[in-house]
Amino acid sequence: MGKYILALDQGTTSSRAILFDSEQNIVGISQKEFTQFYPREGWVEHDAMEIWSSQYAVMMEVIAQSGVSPEDVAAIGITNQRETTILWDRTTGRPIHNAIVWQCRRTAEIVDQLIADGLGDHIRSVTGLIPDAYFSGTKIKWILDHVEGAREKARRGEILFGTVDSWLLWKLTGGAVHATDVTNASRTMLFDIRRLDWDDTLLQALDIPRAMLPQVRSSSEIYGYADIQGIRVPIAGMAGDQQAALFGQTCFNPGDAKNTYGTGCFLLMNTGSTPCESKNGLLTTIAIGLDGGVQYALEGSVFVGGAVIQWLRDEMRFFTESRDAEYYAQKVPDNGGVYLVPAFTGLGAPYWDMYARGAIVGLTRGTRREHIIRAAQESIAYQVADLVRAMEADTGVPLTQLKADGGASRDRFLMQFQADILDRQVRRPMIRETTALGAAYLAGLATGVWKDREEITHLWACDTTYTPDMAPERRSALMEDWHRAVGRSRGWAGGSV
């Protein structure tokens, strides 16, 4: 049996491939950024063929660079940006429209209509989600509405829908397998998370033919085979990126929680075999499908996390490297009264305001670039703190610690400020690529590389623990002003709050 697991980590701004050995050491890593399209204000698209070509390129590159033979690769695991929607022609394998990205707000009016039609409570109770343009269902409808003849072809099964995992699986297997896993299905706003099947009421409301939907399977099994240099390698693990990170952080028990600091921020808490309905603006979602059952999670989603640092780098030209944000944030003793609310595409949990827009408040003549950079850094931590408070209110369980991962978790200023504003320890693991690691774990469990979750738990190791060191009065004042700033950003684009 092969000694290595190949994880394909298809993210919002880049495609990556990471090769792990059975001791979870990273043997090789390759990454390639791809194009972001913004056709109109609030719209975000990707070229699905570029997603595929970039992912295939880094997969082959990491094999070549590492010198590992494809025969020694036990399995491939896939993890992906969730909710992003791709429709393609079954015969040609070509997308019929650019992928509509999870951040895209173009379907807000479709969501408003669903609510007006009285389907808001049905969506919450069946899918565990809050009606929002974030999810895939309304994106599918939009493409079917705007591409001539697409809906008729979809009814005949000639047009296929997939989230990015389905698209990659279909391409890797040469069109042999059209499937998704329960975690990705639970993000479409079309899936009954208790019955574990597509919901006909929502399919009918959005006029989405069932024939175009992928088969829903567990997160850890052999779905099909990819050809790597003539060797058939099983594709054996699949999960949306945040659920994969939860698994990679070994949050296997109810109450375990992690936050991923990526383009967005995603806080997930394992709630076990029973879904926990949120009263505080969080999502109920499927954490993992494994061993014939599913575990559920509560999730809070921040749309713009690390992306606010990219914005300062690329659009504002405040610095040339994202890592420089940490340096500049520490050049001033505090934020100078400046708060940046990065609601560039609306606000996620716990506000769910599709019409909020970004705001910088508290500017004075003495405000410097460093104050704005620090305010951007702090905005990430404030948004996560809002999620933690909501999660504690829903579960009645105080969080004892937060496991942190993702690119921005490298930022020591941000991690310390997060511990300070939460008044909780923040623990960062030795392996920070926990999203890819989760996909590798799932693939390895299905192919016998690891025996069970207990064996995996022993592999997790802590790199750094950040301990809170902020006066309670200071913490309270900062959060109060943050909430005042959020209030200024809400409803800006003309919708009702």
Side-chain angles (χ1 to χ4, degrees), residues 410-423:
R410 291 190 298 264
D411 189 313
R412 290 163 296 180
F413 168 81
L414 174 59
M415 292 297 97
Q416 183 58 53
F417 188 78
Q418 185 70 82
D420 288 341
I421 211 71
L422 275 180
D423 196 22

Side-chain angles (χ1 to χ4, degrees), residues 56 59-60 76 172-173 225-233 235:
Y56 185 79
M59 178 179 78
M60 299 309 291
I76 295 170
L172 285 166
T173 60
Y225 294 84
D227 185 311
I228 301 181
Q229 298 172 10
I231 303 298
R232 275 164 48 89
V233 179
I235 303 163

Side-chain angles (χ1 to χ4, degrees), residues 10 14 31 94 96 119 124 147 180 197 204 217 230 290 342 373 403 430 461:
Q10 205 300 302
S14 68
Q31 179 170 342
R94 301 288 304 184
I96 65 170
L119 284 167
R124 288 183 182 87
V147 176
T180 188
D197 193 13
Q204 183 176 352
R217 295 164 71 170
L290 196 63
I373 293 170
K403 289 183 174 179
M430 292 289 290

Side-chain angles (χ1 to χ4, degrees), residues 88-385:
W88 68 93
D89 187 297
R90 182 194 288 272
T91 304
T92 66
R94 301 288 304 184
I96 65 170
H97 190 277
N98 271 352
I100 300 183
V101 180
W102 58 273
Q103 300 159 313
C104 187
R105 313 311 292 167
R106 76 183 65 186
T107 63
E109 290 182 1
I110 301 175
V111 175
D112 289 341
Q113 188 59 52
L114 289 173
I115 295 169
D117 291 342
L119 284 167
D121 288 342
H122 180 82
I123 289 169
R124 288 183 182 87
S125 63
V126 169
T127 70
L129 307 176
I130 288 170
D132 194 84
Y134 176 27
F135 306 109
S136 312
T138 56
K139 302 181 196 301
I140 301 171
K141 174 177 169 53
W142 191 95
I143 295 174
L144 292 176
D145 286 346
H146 287 81
V147 176
E148 188 176 351
R151 188 169 271 106
E152 291 71 24
K153 292 182 74 174
R155 288 195 178 99
R156 298 194 296 267
E158 296 169 14
I159 301 294
L160 303 180
F161 153 70
T163 40
V164 172
D165 59 310
S166 297
W167 170 240
L168 293 179
L169 178 62
W170 197 84
K171 296 295 282 184
L172 285 166
T173 60
V177 183
H178 182 220
T180 188
D181 89 300
V182 287
T183 68
N184 279 293
S186 75
R187 311 299 298 185
T188 59
M189 212 172 78
L190 299 171
F191 191 70
D192 187 323
I193 60 172
R194 291 168 182 80
R195 290 176 45 249
L196 305 182
D197 193 13
W198 302 112
D199 181 71
D200 287 321
T201 300
L202 292 170
L203 294 180
Q204 183 176 352
L206 292 167
D207 196 11
I208 295 173
R210 191 181 262 262
M212 70 187 300
L213 303 178
Q215 180 189 12
V216 182
R217 295 164 71 170
S218 81
S219 308
S220 180
E221 62 176 270
I222 295 176
Y223 312 100
Y225 294 84
D227 185 311
I228 301 181
Q229 298 172 10
I231 303 298
R232 275 164 48 89
V233 179
I235 303 163
M238 251 180 357
D241 51 10
Q242 303 314 318
Q243 286 94 334
L246 188 72
F247 202 80
Q249 287 272 39
T250 65
C251 295
F252 301 149
N253 300 309
D256 291 348
K258 69 91 203 174
N259 188 62
T260 296
Y261 297 83
T263 304
C265 285
F266 300 90
L267 178 67
L268 273 74
M269 178 188 283
N270 187 325
T271 61
S273 57
T274 305
C276 175
E277 292 189 22
S278 176
K279 302 287 191 294
N280 292 280
L282 302 179
L283 307 177
T284 304
T285 197
I286 294 178
I288 212 71
L290 196 63
D291 300 331
V294 299
Q295 284 188 318
Y296 295 91
L298 271 179
E299 174 175 333
S301 310
V302 169
F303 294 153
V304 176
V308 71
I309 305 303
Q310 293 174 327
W311 175 72
L312 290 180
R313 181 193 69 189
D314 299 339
E315 272 71 42
M316 303 308 289
R317 311 275 178 94
F318 276 12
F319 40 75
T320 55
E321 299 284 343
S322 292
R323 63 174 176 266
D324 293 340
E326 178 181 0
Y327 168 78
Y328 286 116
Q330 295 175 97
K331 295 287 282 183
V332 285
D334 54 41
N335 62 16
V338 176
Y339 292 82
L340 192 163
V341 183
F344 303 144
T345 56
L347 284 169
Y351 304 102
W352 294 106
D353 184 349
M354 295 185 287
Y355 300 101
R357 288 297 179 266
I360 304 176
V361 300
L363 297 173
T364 67
R365 185 63 182 82
T367 299
R368 293 162 46 190
R369 174 179 62 162
E370 289 84 355
H371 289 119
I372 296 173
I373 293 170
R374 182 169 179 135
Q377 290 271 70
E378 291 182 355
S379 76
I380 300 171
Y382 292 136
Q383 292 179 96
V384 172

Side-chain angles (χ1 to χ4, degrees), residues 49-62:
M49 290 304 289
E50 190 182 4
I51 287 176
W52 160 243
S53 63
S54 61
Q55 189 65 72
Y56 185 79
V58 293
M59 178 179 78
M60 299 309 291
E61 187 173 89
V62 80

